Each structure stands twice: as C-alpha cells, then as structure tokens.
C-alpha cells in the first residue's frame, strides 16, 4: 500500500432504500490516501448507488460520510472541487469539439490543469478538434476520463470505466488508471470484471444485494478460500450419470454445460483420478487448465452465483 | 467563468447543428424574403396594390346601395397623395361594354392570376339590402370572386370582405340599426397603410418576433431536455457547476443567438428588401429584449412540463402554430370569432407584436403601454415560477 495511511474517505452505515429495494443497505468502509479501492459485484448489487451518493448526485437515507476529513450529509461544492468523477453513463454535447469539452469542464472548477496536458494524458491530442459525435466508444470514454481529471482531483471515482469497451480500449483505460495511482491519487472503482479488480486494486470489497459480503486485498480474498487449486476442463457430450462417478473421486466440483471446475487441495491425486475417470468411460477431456482461485471463485463461493449472469 | 463557457457551448452547438441552424436562422430569412416577394414586390419600392375588377349588375342609379359600394371602391383606387399608389387598381367595364361579357373576361383573368379579385354586385342588390334592413333577412349578397391558389388574391379578398363589412355597418348605422359605429374598417389599417410604411416594414418586426419565438419555444426545451435525457447534464452535476450558473449560461447563450438572428434579419430586411424602419429606439430595444426573454421563459415552462425531449418538442409543436397565428403577427385579427379573440388576448405575442410595431411607428398601438409590457412580463413570471418548481435536472430514476 502506498500513501501516508491517512483516510481520505470514510463511510459508516450508508443506506439508500427505494421502497422495498434495499439498494444500499448500511455499508461501512474506509479508503486510505493513494490507494485503489474497488467495489466488485454483479449488476444491481448497489455499487453505482453507493458511488452516486459519494459523488453528490444522490442523498443517502442514513449513514455518515467523511471526505477529506469533513463530515458531510451530502457532498457539497467545495468537496467537488477536489473530486473527479467518471460516471457509468453519460454523454457530452455532440457538436462540441474535444478541446471545447475539456475547456468547458475546466471552467467549472476554481483551479484546473492546462487542457493540453489533459489531452496528452488521455491520448487525444490528435482528436482535439474533432466533434464528440465523431469519436469511437473508447475515445469518448477517454474524453470522459479527461473531463473527470481536469481539476487534478485528489480523489477519483470511476464507475465501471471499461464496461462496453473493446480489449484495446480497456487496456488504455487501465494504463491511465495505473498512472493515476502512481501519481498518488486515490481511486475508487467499481467493476464487474474480476480481472480488472485483480489487476488494479489495493483493496477490494465485494458487494451483493446492497451489502458488503467480503473485503480485503485481492490476495487476502483469494487466500481466504484456503490452499485450493482449480482444475478446469471440458468434456463433450457430458451426461449426468458420468458425473455421479466423478463425484466419487473429487469432492468439490461444479458444472457449467460441458465445462467442469474441480477444487482441490491435493492436485496430483485429483488429476490422476480425473484422467482415470475419463479413460475408463472413454470421455474426451479437452482444454484442461490448472490455476489458482480468482475473485470470480471468491464471489461464487460466497454467493453461489457468478459475477456476470 | 463557467457561465460564459456554458453560454458559448449552447451557442456553438446550436450553430453547428444543421436542423437548429435551419429553423433558427435560415427559415426566418427565407420566410422574410418569400413573404416580401409575394406581397411587397421587391425592388419596386412600392407598397402593395391589388388589381380588382368591379362589375355592377344592379345599376340601380344614383343614391342606391350599389352606387355606395361602387363609390367606396373608386375612393380606394384613387391615390391619396401625389406619387403614392392606391390600394386597388380598379377595372370597370366601359360604358358600351356588356357587363356579363366583362365579368366572364375578368374571371378568366382572375384564373390566370392577372386579377386579385373580382367583385360582383348582383342584380337586385339595392332592393335586397333595403328589404334586408326592413325585415332583417338577407337579400342578394355581394359576391367576391378570388383565386384560392394565390396568396395575393386571398389577401385581397380578405381586405374586400373586411371593407364590405365596414360598409355594411355604415349602412346599418345610417338606417339606425347600430347606435354608434365604434368599430373600424379593416381595409387600410394593416397593409400598405396610409403613413407611408411599406409591407416589409410591417413584416420585418413580425418575422423577428417569430424567430425569437421559435428559438425559445424549441431551442430551450430542446437543449435542456435532450441534454438531460442523454445524461449530458448529469456529467455537469458531479462538478461544482450549480444549476443557477448553468441556467445563467444557457440564457446568455440563448439571448446571443437571438441577437445573431435579429442582426441577420435586420441586415437582410434593411439592405436587401428595402425596409426603412430603424431598430434604434430605446423602447424598441426594450421590447426586443422583453420578447426574447418572454419566449425563453416559455421554453423553460415547456421543458418543465415534459418528461422527455421528444415530449417537449411535441408540446412546442402543438403551441407553435396557434400562438404564432393567433397574435396579429402576420395578419389583422379583427373579425375572428370570439373564442379565438380570447386566445389572442392572453397570447403574449399579440402584445409584443403590437408593442414592437408601435415603437417602430409601423402601426399605432391600440392598447396601453402598461398592457403591452405587463402581459409579457406576467408570462415571464408565471413561466419562470412553474419552471423553477417543476423542472427536473436529471433523468428520473
């Protein structure tokens, strides 16, 4: 963990209910300066609602917030001067040029970075004179990130920054966020991509149904599953009765169509029994992978569901 | 700082988008040129004159009702002062010509567009009027033939009808049916009027108001609602930009757009179409600003009533035509049915049109200055109050 260990953001008992729907159901966490804090969870878990409260576009029903050492019931304008926000959904006027959008957003703040620097940061120098209308999805997202960074914020909220982007555009965003972290910014990120959470985060909290169900560094969370190893493989035309036989030799496994995942603490005997099982039944085992558990497995073991369904 | 950037963003996006550019700038200019070409005869510098044929099939002699009507038309077709054109160029059959044959010829000319109207005094007209006065039932009515395809012809027919209505009232008054002739003859009040003003001078203020109106009615709700629907606004609200600052910027951008619109129309009206009116008086400028502000407030009102941008455009579309045409912007409104006159009486456009034309000396005001300024002001206050309460700045969740 980097930074000086001071807490930039603290949330206690934050709650937002919409009638019967408990969008955010009394969550508490704190984020030290200079770290990347990720909220991971499926769609509808309450990630975006949590962020929108912290960004100042929704008011909580209950709970307290402390941002930059100030106790707040709702995020005020002075706090927004020091924050940068990349909303999950949003647009710019189609007939503004890239540079004009950044100039517009820069004018909303008391102090801002030179627009040229921002263009360079998000690699849009070539597009400075292009209309928003003409940008690709990835370019629009980089522009949005640029607009979120015009005021050189200490605290940056990124709500699903890479959703809907192609792999190249996603890597671009990741590289910019890594640079921000290196520059000592505090980042609060939501995502439902576990690769993203693993790659970028210092701290991950997993949210489901408005509550935090697990919290820790990616490594801590994965180690929390025990000393297990995952064996993944697929078997074409797998039938249920074959599975009964497999259950005899492997305790923990799950099936997703033709895809099987076996959890084991003792890798070699497990591999031998899988191979023996397939040989005795003349099944073709394909694409076998042995790997360490990831955040997806953590979520699955906690909720019995996958992150993206 | 934020305010000026918001103003600039509103202005440049309006000017860059082809649809808005067309409706806010090109369309008013087009309408101005078109209408003045149709009614004002560009380049001749003259007022408007209609070619009218008059046939008196009654021929009831001196002092009859038909001779009164003929007298009125002759009066209107003789120039009032040296060098001025009269409203009508009157064509009558020669002394030895057969009136029926003349009528057939003139009707053919009307169809070819060479006559704006043919007025026929039918046989038995004078007797009919007399018996109508006695028994209060209709005799043979005066017939005005006009061509529906031709705008000039329709306008001429309208003027004649108004005139005839005036003649009718005059006859009734003389017959003791009406105690006081309190109403005015509409004929030469509006078009090519007696004070030396040309049609373009009447038209230009109207087109300018129309431009402001369309601009406010569509431009304001369009900007706010589509930006809200597309979550352009939400991106502003996570910054320190406040709603009042955004509104101030938007209003400033909008008024600048109105100013550009005005400048364009004024330059074309003045230098290409020969308008002589000057918009330099303080009262004129005041009314122009009041008009732009009124229609802007109207735009905010519509924005506050609509759930989406498309709904806002639908509301604006519904209000657009009635508000524009029931206002005296393009033609006189006397003689319309009472319920339509009631709409005109609450329509701020009526007061703004009258106030602007009065301040320019194109047409005398019939209402007090208090009403001319007060009614639009009241509209601004009511619209702003409703908008402030109802307008939502982010999409419903």
């Amino acid at each position: 963990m980097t930074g000086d260990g001071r807490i930039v953001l603290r949330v206690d008992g934050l709650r937002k209910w919409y009638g019967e729907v408990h969008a955010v159901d009394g969550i508490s966490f704190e984020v030290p300066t200079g770290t990347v804090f990720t909220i991971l969870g499926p769609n509808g878990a309450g990630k975006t609602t949590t962020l929108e409260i912290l960004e100042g576009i929704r008011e909580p029903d209950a709970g307290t917030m402390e941002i930059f050492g100030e106790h707040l019931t709702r995020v005020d304008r002075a706090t927004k001067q020091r924050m940068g926000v990349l909303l999950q959904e949003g647009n710019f006027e189609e007939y503004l040029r890239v540079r004009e959008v950044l100039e517009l957003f820069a004018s909303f703040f008391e102090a801002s970075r030179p627009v040229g620097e921002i263009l360079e940061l998000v690699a849009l120098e070539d597009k400075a004179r292009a209309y928003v209308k003409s940008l690709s999805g990835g370019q629009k997202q980089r522009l949005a990130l640029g607009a979120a960074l015009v005021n050189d914020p200490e605290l940056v909220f990124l709500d699903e920054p890479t959703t809907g982007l192609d792999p190249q555009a996603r890597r671009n965003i990741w590289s910019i966020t890594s640079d921000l972290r290196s520059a000592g910014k505090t980042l609060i990120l939501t995502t439902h991509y576990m690769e993203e959470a693993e790659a970028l985060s210092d701290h991950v909290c997993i949210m489901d149904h408005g509550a935090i169900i697990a919290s820790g560094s990616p490594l801590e969370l994965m180690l929390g599953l025990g000393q297990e190893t995952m064996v993944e493989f697929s078997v074409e035309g797998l039938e249920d009765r074959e599975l009964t036989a497999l259950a005899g030799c492997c305790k923990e496994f799950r099936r997703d169509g033709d895809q099987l995942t076996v959890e084991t603490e003792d890798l070699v005997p497990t591999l031998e029994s899988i191979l023996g099982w397939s040989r005795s039944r003349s099944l073709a085992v394909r694409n076998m992978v042995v790997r360490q558990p990831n955040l997806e497995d953590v979520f699955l073991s906690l909720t019995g569901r996958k992150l993206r369904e | 700082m934020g305010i000026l950037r918001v103003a600039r963003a509103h202005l440049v996006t309006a000017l860059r988008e082809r649809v808005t550019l067309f409706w806010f700038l090109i369309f008013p200019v087009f309408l101005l040129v078109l209408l003045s070409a149709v009614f004002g005869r560009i380049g001749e510098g003259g007022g408007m004159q209609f070619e009218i044929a008059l046939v008196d099939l009654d021929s009831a002699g001196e002092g009859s009702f038909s001779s009164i009507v003929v007298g009125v038309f002759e009066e209107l077709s003789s120039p009032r002062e040296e060098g001025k054109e009269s409203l009508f160029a009157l064509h009558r059959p020669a002394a030895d010509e057969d009136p029926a044959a003349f009528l057939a010829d003139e009707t053919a000319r009307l169809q070819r567009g060479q006559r704006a109207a043919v007025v026929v005094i039918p046989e038995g007209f004078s007797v009919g009027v007399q018996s109508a006065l006695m028994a209060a039932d209709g005799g043979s009515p005066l017939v005005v033939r006009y061509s529906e395809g031709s705008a000039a012809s329709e306008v001429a027919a309208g003027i004649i009808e108004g005139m005839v209505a005036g003649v009718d009232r005059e006859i009734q008054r003389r017959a003791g049916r009406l105690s006081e002739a309190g109403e005015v003859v509409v004929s030469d009040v509006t078009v090519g009027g007696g004070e030396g003003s040309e049609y373009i001078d009447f038209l230009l203020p109207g087109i300018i108001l129309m431009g402001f109106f369309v601009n406010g009615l569509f431009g304001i709700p369009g900007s706010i609602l589509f930006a809200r629907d597309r979550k352009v606004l939400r991106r502003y609200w996570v910054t320190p930009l406040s709603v009042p600052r955004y509104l101030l910027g938007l209003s400033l951008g909008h008024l600048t757009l109105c100013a550009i619109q005005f400048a364009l129309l004024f330059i074309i009206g003045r230098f290409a179409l020969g308008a002589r009116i000057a918009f330099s008086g303080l009262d004129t400028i005041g009314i122009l600003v009041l008009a732009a502000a009124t229609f802007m407030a109207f735009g905010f009102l519509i924005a506050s009533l609509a759930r989406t941008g498309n709904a806002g455009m639908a509301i604006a579309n519904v209000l657009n035509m009635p508000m524009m045409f029931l206002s005296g912007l393009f033609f006189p409104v006397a003689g319309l049915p009472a319920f339509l006159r009631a709409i005109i009486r609450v329509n701020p456009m009526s007061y703004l049109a009258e106030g602007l034309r009065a301040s320019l000396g194109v047409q005398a005001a019939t209402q007090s200055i208090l009403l001319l300024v007060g009614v639009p002001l009241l509209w601004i206050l009511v619209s702003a109050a409703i908008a402030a309460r109802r307008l939502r700045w982010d999409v419903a969740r």
Side-chain angles (χ1 to χ4, degrees):
Chain A
M1 222 175 257
T2 57
D4 52 12
R6 277 188 301 126
I7 301 300
V8 66
L9 173 81
R10 181 180 282 122
V11 160
D12 196 15
L14 204 66
R15 201 182 79 192
K16 184 78 186 176
W17 290 359
Y18 296 101
E20 293 292 294
V21 182
H22 296 189
V24 177
D25 206 4
I27 60 170
S28 306
F29 59 85
E30 52 182 44
V31 181
T33 308
T35 61
V36 179
F37 182 92
T38 300
I39 305 176
L40 181 70
N43 287 328
K47 309 187 297 289
T48 294
T49 308
T50 305
L51 246 60
E52 285 178 349
I53 293 169
L54 298 173
E55 291 157 358
I57 53 176
R58 286 189 203 218
E59 280 185 63
D61 296 332
T64 58
M65 292 181 276
E66 189 189 319
I67 306 179
F68 305 127
E70 302 279 337
H71 287 276
L72 304 166
T73 50
R74 76 162 297 162
V75 178
D76 56 16
R77 216 155 285 143
T79 309
K80 286 178 182 172
Q81 293 283 358
R82 302 165 67 185
M83 288 182 358
V85 175
L86 176 65
L87 289 170
Q88 187 185 100
E89 285 180 282
N91 281 292
F92 299 113
E93 290 288 357
E94 299 215 305
Y95 285 92
L96 284 184
R97 300 182 198 280
V98 165
R99 171 178 284 278
E100 290 170 337
V101 168
L102 295 175
E103 284 167 350
L104 178 68
F105 276 77
S107 77
F108 299 160
F109 295 91
E110 281 164 13
S112 59
R113 290 176 71 175
V115 166
E117 268 182 46
I118 300 290
L119 283 170
E120 198 188 323
L121 181 71
V122 295
L124 284 174
E125 301 107 308
D126 296 347
K127 290 281 172 184
R129 287 191 51 79
Y131 287 151
V132 169
K133 194 181 163 63
S134 71
L135 299 181
S136 71
Q139 289 166 339
K140 276 182 186 160
Q141 191 68 343
R142 291 204 317 265
L143 175 59
L145 190 54
L149 300 174
V150 281
N151 58 328
D152 199 15
E154 298 157 59
L155 177 61
V156 185
F157 294 92
L158 305 169
D159 196 355
E160 308 226 353
T162 62
T163 299
L165 298 186
D166 61 59
Q168 179 59 42
R170 186 173 299 171
R171 268 191 294 279
N172 285 335
I173 300 283
W174 287 358
S175 127
I176 299 167
T177 40
S178 306
D179 291 348
L180 286 173
R181 186 182 177 278
S182 311
K185 309 295 183 193
T186 309
L187 270 68
I188 297 182
L189 181 81
T190 72
T191 183
H192 56 245
Y193 296 117
M194 51 94 187
E195 316 92 289
E196 192 162 298
E198 274 176 37
L200 301 175
S201 321
D202 295 304
H203 192 99
V204 176
C205 79
I206 300 179
M207 252 185 114
D208 193 31
H209 297 305
I212 294 173
I213 54 175
S215 177
S217 73
L219 195 63
E220 281 166 359
L221 285 170
M222 292 182 285
L223 290 178
L225 288 180
Q227 297 295 323
E228 286 181 349
T229 306
M230 320 298 283
V231 183
E232 283 180 353
F233 57 96
S234 61
V235 180
E236 228 170 280
L238 186 64
E239 287 173 31
D240 287 348
R241 61 192 159 83
E242 320 283 13
L243 282 179
T244 330
L246 183 64
C249 60
C250 307
K251 283 185 308 213
E252 292 276 330
F253 72 91
R254 50 179 204 262
R255 178 189 177 184
D256 185 8
D258 285 347
Q259 180 83 26
L260 285 167
T261 306
V262 176
E263 281 175 39
T264 177
E265 288 178 15
D266 211 354
L267 182 61
V268 176
T270 304
L271 284 176
E272 282 169 349
S273 22
I274 292 169
L275 294 173
W277 167 75
S278 68
R279 199 180 304 123
S280 67
R281 301 191 168 253
S282 311
L283 296 168
V285 170
R286 291 173 207 278
N287 307 325
M288 183 175 275
V289 174
V290 176
R291 61 169 177 83
Q292 294 307 303
N294 58 30
L295 289 175
E296 178 85 51
D297 300 310
V298 175
F299 186 79
L300 198 67
S301 77
L302 287 170
T303 66
R305 289 179 292 120
K306 286 190 154 191
L307 267 173
R308 270 173 286 163
E309 270 178 343
Chain B
M1 184 61 180
I3 297 170
L4 290 180
R5 286 282 176 191
V6 172
R8 187 183 177 279
H10 177 71
L11 190 64
V12 297
T13 49
L15 294 176
R16 283 171 189 170
E17 209 163 347
R18 277 195 205 136
V19 181
T20 39
L21 192 65
F22 176 79
W23 286 109
F24 297 165
L25 293 178
I26 305 197
F27 178 69
V29 168
F30 172 75
L31 203 61
L32 179 70
V33 173
L34 183 82
L35 286 178
S36 63
V38 171
F39 298 120
R41 295 196 283 165
I42 306 178
E44 292 183 20
M48 54 191 325
Q49 193 179 41
F50 298 102
E51 304 277 335
I52 303 280
L54 176 67
V55 191
D56 182 6
L57 297 175
D58 194 30
S59 309
E62 279 297 310
S64 68
F65 287 110
S66 56
S67 70
I68 295 177
V69 173
V70 170
V72 168
F73 276 97
E74 279 175 342
E75 171 71 24
L76 282 172
S77 51
S78 59
R80 287 180 205 192
E81 49 191 286
E82 207 58 38
K84 275 290 291 178
E85 271 186 340
S86 58
L87 182 60
F88 295 141
L90 200 61
H91 300 270
R92 303 207 53 200
D96 55 348
E97 206 174 350
D98 173 28
F102 176 80
L103 175 59
D105 283 353
E106 290 298 318
T107 308
R109 286 201 181 91
L110 173 68
Q111 279 159 354
R112 288 198 297 270
Q114 293 165 333
R115 295 286 177 269
V118 177
V119 182
V120 185
I121 304 173
E123 217 171 317
F125 175 76
S126 300
V127 181
V129 172
Q130 211 142 20
S131 68
L133 282 173
M134 305 303 227
D137 75 61
S140 334
L142 192 77
V143 178
V144 180
R145 294 186 184 172
Y146 68 101
S147 161
E148 279 203 330
S150 151
S153 183
E154 288 187 25
V155 169
I159 293 171
I160 293 168
E161 275 175 41
M163 240 177 66
V164 171
V167 173
D168 185 44
R169 274 193 296 273
E170 182 61 16
I171 292 172
Q172 300 236 11
R173 192 182 66 83
R174 287 191 196 171
R177 283 288 200 77
L178 283 174
S179 53
E180 228 2 90
E183 289 161 80
V184 288
V185 180
V186 252
S187 60
D188 59 358
V189 174
T190 50
V191 191
E195 288 153 1
S197 62
E198 310 293 342
Y199 182 64
I200 180 70
D201 290 339
F202 175 81
L203 183 65
L204 186 56
I207 295 280
I208 287 168
L209 284 186
M210 185 204 76
F212 287 4
F213 177 63
V214 170
N215 201 356
L217 194 75
F218 290 93
I220 290 285
S223 290
I224 295 176
L225 296 178
F226 287 118
R228 184 184 70 184
D229 292 355
R230 293 180 57 243
K231 296 175 185 167
V232 171
L233 291 185
R234 187 182 284 186
R235 284 209 162 140
Y236 297 161
W237 307 144
V238 294
T239 73
L241 179 72
S242 64
V243 171
R245 277 173 165 264
Y246 166 76
L247 272 179
L248 219 58
L250 186 68
S251 307
L252 206 63
H254 179 81
L255 293 177
T256 312
L257 192 59
C258 287
I260 293 174
Q261 209 174 30
F262 167 79
L264 194 66
L265 288 168
F266 175 67
I267 288 168
I268 290 172
R270 178 107 191 201
F271 298 108
L273 304 175
R276 284 176 297 173
I277 41 173
F279 291 85
S280 52
L282 269 182
D283 45 357
T284 304
I285 293 165
I287 287 183
L288 284 171
V289 173
L290 180 70
T294 305
F295 301 136
M296 184 171 77
F298 233 88
F300 284 122
L301 175 66
I302 291 170
S304 75
L305 299 177
R307 289 185 70 84
T308 65
N310 288 329
M313 293 300 99
I315 297 174
N317 261 316
V318 166
L319 290 175
N320 182 24
M321 289 297 167
M323 280 194 63
M324 212 140 73
F325 287 110
L326 295 176
S327 67
L329 199 58
F330 297 122
F331 50 79
V333 292
L336 286 175
F339 77 99
L340 290 180
R341 281 209 303 275
I343 296 177
I344 290 158
R345 216 157 279 151
V346 296
N347 187 350
M349 179 95 86
S350 317
Y351 300 88
L352 291 165
E354 196 174 319
L356 186 58
R357 288 197 177 118
S359 79
L360 290 166
V362 178
Q363 193 180 75
T366 59
Q367 320 253 16
S368 80
I369 181 81
L370 212 65
L371 273 178
L372 293 182
V373 174
V375 174
L377 268 181
L378 195 68
W379 267 107
I380 293 178
L381 288 179
V382 171
S383 304
I386 296 174
R389 281 181 64 87
R390 286 191 51 108
L391 202 49
R392 294 288 163 264
W393 292 106
D394 201 358
V395 280
R397 313 171 209 265

